[in-house]
Amino acid sequence: MDDALRRAALSRHGLVLRGEAAGLPAGERRALVVAQPRVLVAGTQPQGRATRVAAVELSAPQVVLAGRTAAWAHGLDVVDDGTVDVAAPDTEQLVLLPPARVRRLAPSLLTGVRSVRGHRVVSVETALVQCAERTDDLLELVEQAPRDRLTTPDRLRRRCGRGIAGSAALRVVVAELDAGADRLPRRLRSALEAAGVRGLESEVRVLSPDGACAWLDLLHRPSRTALEVDGWTAHGTRTAFLADRRRDRWVHRAHGLSTLRVTAWEVEQRLDDVVREIAPLLGGAAPGRLSPSDR
């Protein structure tokens, strides 16, 4: 937990470090209850997920958020089941109270640990593998992660190693997605290449010095153009629309890339028209009707 989050946890969530409680008035001290071994909280303080997570991190700064709690920290819509999933390379000396649920973090996963909104978390791919061990909403989470540009289907597939708990369930879900919307960017790329467009790349990650990143469905480097295929329903809300536009502006400002967006419906139902419109902008030819092999 970084210093800013630590200060926020102590002030916003009503948490008090045990060593600092002695300096409080007697009445306030009597109102405190134990949240975690090193952390107290006012008995009247509602203990939502953010408060529970902060208490665990304050009591054991060495832990990393894992599983469903890591997925929540990454921004996925994870239902709060009351637990706080954490991990650490060495759990023998780690003492935490429920609702903390502790697992050992394999050394190979330490390289994927990152800071997200002040929390130390496992990678989103690892979090989803861990979620797959016990969750009923895995499909929704795996659909959301690529949609929100937190990962890509290829990165999820690579994370589903043999013998890792949860990998089998995640492989099944990723395979279901492969049969759905994930094929649409590949279909669009094939059609554009058949029309003479060269220089297309799939699932390209762009980074900025400050650590911000985005994943692009397709990138045409010669024209500095990103192509995005918006899902059937994911981009239909005003909130999603505004988020996409903010992302497009960031990609243009940070990387000098323009973004062209098409919908899944257009790629499914009007691919000829999409290619006819886009191909000339990318140095290809406006085609006639596509052959069945190009569809």
Side-chain angles (χ1 to χ4, degrees):
M1 174 183 285
D2 63 23
D3 289 341
L5 193 63
R6 181 180 183 277
R7 290 193 298 271
L10 291 171
S11 60
R12 185 184 314 130
H13 301 301
L15 300 175
V16 178
L17 295 177
R18 185 182 290 274
E20 300 174 358
L24 297 175
E28 293 185 24
R29 288 201 306 272
R30 287 194 294 269
L32 297 175
V33 297
V34 175
Q36 286 296 334
R38 296 176 53 200
V39 179
L40 307 174
V41 64
T44 57
Q45 174 73 24
Q47 294 193 39
R49 177 155 49 191
T51 300
R52 298 193 303 272
V53 169
V56 169
E57 291 176 318
L58 285 168
S59 189
Q62 72 270 38
V63 301
V64 176
L65 300 188
R68 294 178 65 82
T69 307
W72 162 78
H74 279 291
L76 295 176
D77 296 330
V78 181
V79 175
D80 186 3
D81 64 359
T83 62
V84 178
D85 287 311
V86 296
D90 181 8
T91 59
E92 290 186 6
Q93 304 300 319
L94 187 60
V95 178
L96 289 170
L97 302 175
R101 188 163 52 194
V102 183
R103 70 172 74 215
R104 185 177 179 276
L105 184 67
S108 61
L109 299 179
L110 285 174
T111 56
V113 171
R114 54 179 297 199
S115 177
V116 177
R117 295 184 294 175
H119 302 282
R120 293 178 68 232
V121 299
V122 298
S123 69
V124 68
E125 296 83 14
T126 297
L128 288 172
V129 169
Q130 294 169 342
C131 286
E133 298 174 17
R134 48 175 183 269
T135 185
D136 295 327
D137 54 355
L138 182 62
L139 178 59
E140 290 80 2
L141 296 178
V142 175
E143 285 178 331
Q144 183 188 350
R147 186 179 73 214
D148 291 352
R149 313 301 179 187
L150 298 174
T151 185
T152 67
D154 275 349
R155 289 171 66 192
L156 285 174
R157 281 189 288 269
R158 289 195 295 268
R159 184 62 189 84
C160 292
R162 300 287 177 182
I164 302 176
S167 290
L170 185 58
R171 278 196 298 272
V172 171
V173 172
V174 172
E176 291 181 29
L177 294 182
D178 283 343
D182 180 45
R183 64 187 167 81
L184 297 180
R186 296 197 298 268
R187 184 180 178 190
L188 176 59
R189 176 176 177 172
S190 296
L192 288 170
E193 289 177 339
V197 176
R198 297 294 177 263
L200 287 170
E201 301 173 42
S202 298
E203 293 185 356
V204 178
R205 187 187 189 192
V206 290
L207 288 164
S208 287
D210 61 0
C213 72
W215 285 89
L216 311 175
D217 287 339
L218 297 173
L219 174 62
H220 187 250
R221 291 189 187 274
S223 66
R224 308 291 295 169
T225 302
L227 301 176
E228 293 293 295
V229 180
D230 293 342
W232 288 90
T233 60
H235 300 262
T237 67
R238 184 174 185 274
T239 299
F241 174 85
L242 294 176
D244 285 341
R245 293 305 174 265
R246 285 194 300 271
R247 177 177 178 276
D248 294 348
R249 289 194 294 270
W250 175 82
V251 168
H252 180 73
R253 182 175 64 253
H255 302 282
L257 302 175
S258 299
T259 301
L260 290 176
R261 290 184 175 273
V262 296
T263 65
W265 181 86
E266 289 177 298
V267 176
E268 285 276 23
Q269 304 295 328
R270 299 182 54 199
L271 186 57
D272 291 341
D273 295 333
V274 170
V275 173
R276 189 176 295 110
E277 178 182 347
I278 292 178
L281 303 178
L282 307 180
R289 300 295 294 178
L290 299 179
S291 67
S293 63
D294 296 327
R295 293 177 182 275

